[in-house]
Amino acid sequence: GAVVSQHPSRVICKSGTSVKIECRSLDFQATTMFWYRQFPKKSLMLMATSNEGSKATYEQGVEKDKFLINHASLTLSTLTVTSAHPEDSSFYICSARDFSSYNEQFFGPGTRLTVL
Amino acid sequence: AQSVAQPEDQVNVAEGNPLTVKCTYSVSGNPYLFWYVQYPNRGLQFLLKYITGDNLVKGSYGFEAEFNKSQTSFHLKKPSALVSDSALYFCAVRDGDTGGFKTIFGAGTRLFVKA
């Protein structure tokens, strides 16, 4: 099946710094990628939809200036958490949509962000 | 707007017994339904989906789910549970007609299988 990778898998940073997370579709092209946030023992919350070559669409309540999304190519989307705070600590999961498979979404392994 | 309900936070079952994880949904258009499993500190793994066709869908690892339109349900089942099935299970729905690309997830149900 289609594979989505995320890098890094874990990151620890200091409060006030910025962190970039990469999401790559390895064997298919993804014009659309999604970024989710998962709190401990909670469900996935859709943060934004990332469209190749255009601006991301953010869900209500998600700060677009804080969570910068760039989808520069058909296989790469990045999420940058700017001026990170401890409350940004979470598990971030991306997914990519494969148009050849009933628009099925394939998920990355997730990135654990810890802000000290 | 679409929504998903997983009424049970946790399901406990003995190894070898059948298991059911419940899911109900709400969409205005045609439902595209999915089940995913998540192991600790891992991403989501796809189990199965219903788009169209037979109401009984068979997926990975011996799991199956039945689409019931009248009850708007898509319960996940397995005839004989394994200890290794213990994980967090998510039901998800997308509106096939008008929902665009958004997939909405349920709150998740933690499955514990005891040896």
Side-chain angles (χ1 to χ4, degrees):
Chain A
V3 179
V4 175
S5 69
Q6 275 184 249
H7 178 78
S9 58
R10 289 179 177 272
V11 58
I12 300 173
C13 69
K14 293 182 179 180
S15 186
T17 60
S18 294
V19 174
K20 180 185 284 188
I21 304 170
E22 292 185 349
C23 177
R24 294 182 185 271
S25 58
L26 297 185
D27 50 3
F28 66 99
Q29 293 185 331
T31 55
T32 304
M33 291 185 174
F34 306 88
W35 286 96
Y36 293 85
R37 181 174 179 177
Q38 185 180 29
F39 294 96
K41 299 183 180 180
K42 296 290 185 183
S43 186
L44 281 71
M45 180 192 76
L46 179 63
M47 297 174 65
T49 302
S50 169
N51 299 298
E52 187 266 338
S54 65
K55 291 183 179 180
T57 303
Y58 290 82
E59 295 300 301
Q60 191 172 10
V62 178
E63 299 176 61
K64 59 182 67 176
D65 293 332
K66 180 165 188 62
F67 298 100
L68 300 179
I69 291 173
N70 183 278
H71 194 155
S73 78
L74 288 172
T75 58
L76 173 64
S77 175
T78 60
L79 168 68
T80 302
V81 183
T82 63
S83 188
H85 291 147
E87 56 265 31
D88 297 327
S89 298
S90 194
F91 195 53
Y92 292 88
I93 302 176
C94 76
S95 74
R97 186 177 178 184
D98 182 358
F99 283 90
S100 67
S101 182
Y102 277 114
N103 298 320
E104 187 174 329
Q105 283 180 247
F106 296 92
F107 287 81
T111 296
R112 171 75 60 193
L113 170 63
T114 303
V115 184
L116 302 176
Chain B
Q2 60 250 43
S3 65
V4 179
Q6 291 181 244
E8 303 153 315
D9 289 338
Q10 184 172 310
V11 170
N12 298 312
V13 65
E15 188 175 33
N17 283 359
L19 69 88
T20 299
V21 183
K22 295 180 180 177
C23 171
T24 58
Y25 65 90
S26 174
V27 292
S28 54
N30 278 322
Y32 289 3
L33 295 156
F34 306 85
W35 275 102
Y36 293 89
V37 60
Q38 185 181 33
Y39 296 97
N41 294 312
R42 305 288 290 276
L44 271 66
Q45 295 180 31
F46 170 79
L47 280 180
L48 50 80
K49 66 184 176 190
Y50 171 83
I51 303 296
T52 186
D54 289 341
N55 289 344
L56 184 64
V57 179
K58 293 188 183 296
S60 306
Y61 312 120
F63 284 94
E64 59 187 31
E66 185 164 13
F67 170 61
N68 188 316
K69 188 173 183 178
S70 62
Q71 296 184 5
T72 61
S73 67
F74 191 57
H75 302 329
L76 180 70
K77 299 183 180 184
K78 186 172 182 179
S80 179
L82 299 173
V83 172
S84 57
D85 292 330
S86 298
L88 185 58
Y89 290 80
F90 291 102
C91 180
V93 67
R94 190 161 75 238
D95 188 327
D97 291 346
T98 63
F101 303 152
K102 283 189 196 179
T103 299
I104 302 300
F105 287 81
T109 298
R110 192 164 296 279
L111 174 65
F112 286 101
V113 181
K114 292 200 308 183

